[in-house]
Amino acid sequence: MRARNGQDKRKTYKTQGEAMMKQLLVHETTFARIETALKPYADRISPIVMDDEGDLKHPWGESEAGQIKGGKSEAVTSIAYGTQDAYFSPAVQTFFQTMFALPNLEFFQSSAAGIEHPMLQAIGQKASSYASSHAQSEAIAEWVLWAGLEHFQNGAARRAAQAAQDWKRMDFREISDTHWLIIGFGGIGRETGKRLKALGAQVTGVRRSGGSDDDAHTIITPDGLAAALPTADAVLLSVPHTPETDNMARGEFFAAMKPDSLFVNVGRGALVDEDALLAALDSGQVAHAALDVVRQEPLPMGNAIWTHPKITLTPHIAALTEQAKIRTDRLFLKNLGKFFAGEPLHNAVPKTSFGG
Amino acid sequence: MRARNGQDKRKTYKTQGEAMMKQLLVHETTFARIETALKPYADRISPIVMDDEGDLKHPWGESEAGQIKGGKSEAVTSIAYGTQDAYFSPAVQTFFQTMFALPNLEFFQSSAAGIEHPMLQAIGQKASSYASSHAQSEAIAEWVLWAGLEHFQNGAARRAAQAAQDWKRMDFREISDTHWLIIGFGGIGRETGKRLKALGAQVTGVRRSGGSDDDAHTIITPDGLAAALPTADAVLLSVPHTPETDNMARGEFFAAMKPDSLFVNVGRGALVDEDALLAALDSGQVAHAALDVVRQEPLPMGNAIWTHPKITLTPHIAALTEQAKIRTDRLFLKNLGKFFAGEPLHNAVPKTSFGG
């Protein structure tokens, strides 16, 4: 990071009617998508753009007020926008280090729904305002539909018959005939429930707050989970990883599932006892598992999850769509307007969510 | 077929208030599903049930009026219900021969939407009333979603990476970002359009009658097809096979499609010039083809369609679900009630549709 000292601009900021210039930290790829939309703020923000080598540039020029103050001047303030471009950049460490060095981080927008990562927890403590995003939910919901249709239509058997040039007529089960238990009925759960309902499936959502929801036929609270597990043809984990949800899908969980049902995890690998899952697949209790997340990522070569014939594994990519990035950008730009207008942010995460 | 002669029951039928007993020809597997629902008609119908060996049984007893008359008595009348159980039975020929021998076929319910098969054309000429079914449409619509999500999420590359134990993060395209051109906006087209719309995709339907439809964003007539082809990310054929649609997807059709788009056929194989399709796939003009139907079924071993890496082929099974059978049964039972009440049938096909 090429921080430098600049002279104290406090005087300037106090001049009535003159907007305070704010630094905006953002990844290069993200900036390319939103630069045009940021132009109306050109008199108020000075972008600092990081590339995949971790180099920082000032594409709109390095105005004095736009220089990185290294925390030395209280007068300079900043904004940061953390996206998948940054989180999956080889220079992700530099991105976070730069963010920690930003003076007076007033607003941080994350592209992630989750806030449990230690880096995000630390940023949550530093930032005056923190907003999360559920813009990945639609992408993940489509991934779940892919996995669900693939299972209930038995794509693997179809491909095997094609490979064998065998005109073998196999029937399949309509997803309209299936009952889904969606554990965690937040952004991802609701977007998935909405689509499954539209396809005619039965949807039960599980969330602590209970109540009812347009995107599910039934909402239950976690104390009803044990009774609901045997009723579902497919069980989806879309719950955050917390001390309460850690290892929640273990031996007794799989034993309670309806025999020959589908298990899907788009939450976090640490929700699942993977040995217990493998045992449940081997015994036939669980027919198939579709996993976008595993306990150790990247999954080491040789791990049985790679090769198990009843597991579909993708490498944490269920949200990796251009459309999810565009939706997150749209959210950030909306929140940027609200931030400057002094209005409450969409998806604001309360300070109390970031523990010491 | 074990037809026998019985005495003339004309006198009996003329007795006022006494219902005329009608023979009902149905496949054994279908009968097992609907027997209970047929019981209220036990005083008016006498089921003739065919098994896969072509043997005929009279499970409710062989009442005199219920005996097969071999067309010899004008007084005996009959009903037939043709389902996938019969059409895909090894004894399908016997089923149709029996049907042709039925005296006074007053009502024929088919589980198929199409009426172009020569056997169905002949039955359409024999039967006083003929009803088709769109109950397979929902199943086929789910098959199309499976094929579409599989393509836009690149399931093949995901499975290859898993097989190689390669934690390779690949992005995908949301179906919500795609535009579908659905050629033939009847039962199948509408059910597919409805689901695609619910997933956020853009839907253009093509049908001769034009107008507008809740299940599409835009409806065009066939004369607009050439202009629409280059705009679609996926093109679905769900049109019946007629002289007008024969070979409609040929060289210039594929050349007009948007490069790198998806081609899906759930109509009939004869809609497609298969050599032209293979050439379009080889040139990259068409990215992938998902086919549930081919020109020659079963497809002969060694045909290039079996092995082309850009073709997903299933053996005419897109409607093969238990749920489709149940929906068709429900339609037949509803139409049976209407038939006895003298009301117009659902999905009645006019006599003029069955040419000499």
Side-chain angles (χ1 to χ4, degrees), chain A residues 97-111:
Chain A
Q97 284 159 14
T98 307
M99 201 156 26
F100 286 123
L102 287 175
N104 302 327
L105 180 59
E106 293 185 318
F107 162 40
F108 174 63
Q109 172 73 57
S110 176
S111 68

Side-chain angles (χ1 to χ4, degrees), chain A residues 84 88 135-136 138-140 142-147 149-151 153-155 158-159 161-177 194-195 198-199 292-294 296-303 305-308 311-325 327, chain B residues 84 88 135-136 138-140 142-147 149-151 153-155 158-159 161-177 194-195 198-199 292-294 296-303 305-308 311-325 327:
Chain A
Q84 297 184 51
F88 294 108
Q136 304 187 353
E138 289 100 319
I140 297 173
E142 288 205 10
W143 185 98
V144 174
L145 282 192
W146 168 74
L149 289 167
E150 168 72 10
H151 173 67
Q153 297 198 29
N154 207 348
R158 289 178 181 172
R159 288 185 293 273
Q162 181 178 352
Q165 305 194 23
D166 182 1
W167 190 266
K168 185 178 164 192
R169 294 174 54 86
M170 291 171 284
D171 61 2
F172 66 100
R173 184 171 178 186
E174 290 175 24
I175 211 162
S176 71
D177 186 50
K194 182 190 297 182
R195 285 160 179 75
L199 298 181
D292 187 51
V293 289
V294 285
Q296 189 181 348
E297 297 182 4
L299 185 67
M301 293 273 289
N303 186 298
I305 291 174
W306 280 119
T307 49
H308 200 288
I311 292 181
T312 299
L313 172 69
T314 59
H316 207 140
I317 49 82
L320 267 195
T321 70
E322 192 66 16
Q323 294 74 46
K325 293 174 190 166
R327 283 191 299 268
Chain B
Q84 296 184 49
F88 294 110
Q136 304 188 351
E138 290 100 318
I140 298 173
E142 289 205 10
W143 185 97
V144 174
L145 283 192
W146 168 74
L149 289 167
E150 169 70 11
H151 173 68
Q153 297 198 29
N154 206 347
R158 290 179 181 172
R159 287 186 292 273
Q162 181 177 354
Q165 304 194 23
D166 182 0
W167 189 264
K168 184 178 167 191
R169 293 174 56 85
M170 291 171 283
D171 61 3
F172 67 99
R173 184 169 180 189
E174 291 174 25
I175 212 162
S176 71
D177 186 51
K194 182 192 296 183
R195 285 160 179 75
L199 298 180
D292 187 50
V293 287
V294 287
Q296 189 181 347
E297 298 182 3
L299 185 66
M301 292 274 289
N303 187 298
I305 291 175
W306 279 118
T307 49
H308 200 287
I311 292 181
T312 299
L313 172 68
T314 58
H316 208 139
I317 51 81
L320 266 196
T321 71
E322 192 65 17
Q323 294 74 47
K325 293 174 190 166
R327 283 190 300 268

Side-chain angles (χ1 to χ4, degrees), chain A residues 174-315:
Chain A
E174 290 175 24
I175 211 162
S176 71
D177 186 50
T178 60
H179 175 203
W180 287 66
L181 182 65
I182 301 182
I183 304 176
F185 215 69
I188 296 167
R190 295 185 65 197
E191 291 295 340
T192 308
K194 182 190 297 182
R195 285 160 179 75
L196 286 167
K197 269 189 80 176
L199 298 181
Q202 280 290 312
V203 176
T204 300
V206 186
R207 68 179 176 206
R208 277 182 298 186
S209 59
S212 68
D213 199 297
D214 283 347
D215 296 328
H217 296 90
T218 313
I219 293 286
I220 62 173
T221 49
D223 58 315
L225 183 55
L229 276 170
T231 69
D233 303 298
V235 175
L236 170 65
L237 292 188
S238 51
V239 76
H241 179 227
T242 65
E244 292 80 46
T245 61
D246 183 75
N247 228 29
M248 68 177 293
R250 50 184 185 270
E252 57 263 46
F253 180 101
F254 296 119
M257 280 174 65
K258 182 190 275 194
D260 209 35
S261 51
L262 173 67
F263 176 75
V264 186
N265 187 8
V266 295
R268 286 291 180 270
L271 302 172
V272 178
D273 176 341
E274 292 173 345
D275 289 337
L277 173 60
L278 290 166
L281 290 165
D282 287 335
S283 75
Q285 172 66 14
V286 175
H288 196 86
L291 310 174
D292 187 51
V293 289
V294 285
R295 198 166 272 270
Q296 189 181 348
E297 297 182 4
L299 185 67
M301 293 273 289
N303 186 298
I305 291 174
W306 280 119
T307 49
H308 200 288
K310 294 180 178 176
I311 292 181
T312 299
L313 172 69
T314 59

